[in-house]
């Protein structure tokens, strides 16, 4: 598994603590230094079975400064993927990526069910 995080994110820190408490093996990836590319995000989208809008970090400063709350409704999938791949800070985190699934954001019960 790979966990894609931002080091200063408190939710990411909780997710790491959760994984460590279960002795889960994972690769840590800093989203600021190694952001997901467009095709990688497209794969994550397929594995997650979530709408693409769920991949946006709606509480982030960049999301707000770009006024995406209003703009995102008029975007198609390609435009959203281009935007998400342009800056890792637009992506909701953490992302937990395995061969079987992709989890977006940290919800303990959801992660527990996938890792059991």
């Amino acid at each position: 598994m790979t966990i894609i995080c931002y080091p200063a994110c408190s939710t990411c820190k909780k997710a790491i603590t959760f994984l460590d408490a279960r002795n889960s093996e994972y690769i840590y990836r800093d989203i600021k230094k190694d952001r997901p590319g467009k095709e990688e995000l497209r794969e994550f989208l397929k594995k997650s079975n979530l709408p693409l809008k769920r991949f946006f970090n709606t509480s982030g400063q960049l999301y707000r400064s770009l006024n995406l709350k209003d703009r995102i409704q008029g975007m198609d999938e390609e435009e959203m993927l281009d935007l998400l791949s342009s800056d890792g800070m637009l992506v909701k985190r953490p992302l937990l990526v395995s061969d079987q699934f992709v989890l977006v954001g940290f919800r303990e019960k959801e992660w527990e069910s996938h890792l059991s």
Side-chain angles (χ1 to χ4, degrees):
M1 288 186 302
T2 299
I3 187 165
I4 304 173
C5 291
Y6 178 57
C9 170
S10 61
T11 305
C12 291
K13 291 175 185 176
K14 288 178 192 172
I16 295 290
T17 299
F18 173 87
L19 292 174
D20 289 345
R22 283 150 189 78
N23 296 315
S24 299
E25 289 186 28
Y26 59 88
I27 297 166
Y28 180 91
R29 183 169 153 192
D30 183 336
I31 199 165
K32 188 87 168 155
K33 294 178 182 174
D34 185 13
R35 70 180 183 265
K38 184 175 180 178
E39 293 310 313
E40 191 175 22
L41 286 163
R42 193 183 312 277
E43 285 299 311
F44 293 170
L45 178 62
K46 288 177 193 172
K47 284 185 189 177
S48 73
N49 292 316
L50 293 171
L52 186 52
K53 291 176 187 177
R54 289 277 306 277
F55 279 79
F56 280 90
N57 176 16
T58 57
S59 60
Q61 292 176 349
L62 185 57
Y63 183 90
R64 289 192 301 263
S65 71
L66 293 174
N67 198 28
L68 291 178
K69 179 182 175 189
D70 298 325
R71 293 179 45 213
I72 204 167
Q73 302 302 331
M75 291 183 181
D76 65 21
E77 184 174 290
E78 291 303 307
E79 290 171 309
M80 286 191 270
L81 286 169
D82 284 338
L83 194 55
L84 285 167
S85 64
S86 72
D87 193 315
M89 298 311 285
L90 285 173
V91 180
K92 185 165 183 74
R93 52 200 181 267
L95 292 172
L96 187 62
V97 180
S98 81
D99 291 337
Q100 294 81 32
F101 61 82
V102 171
L103 303 179
V104 180
F106 178 61
R107 289 185 295 286
E108 189 170 335
K109 289 183 187 210
E110 178 186 25
W111 283 40
E112 187 71 58
S113 70
H114 278 84
L115 297 176
S116 296

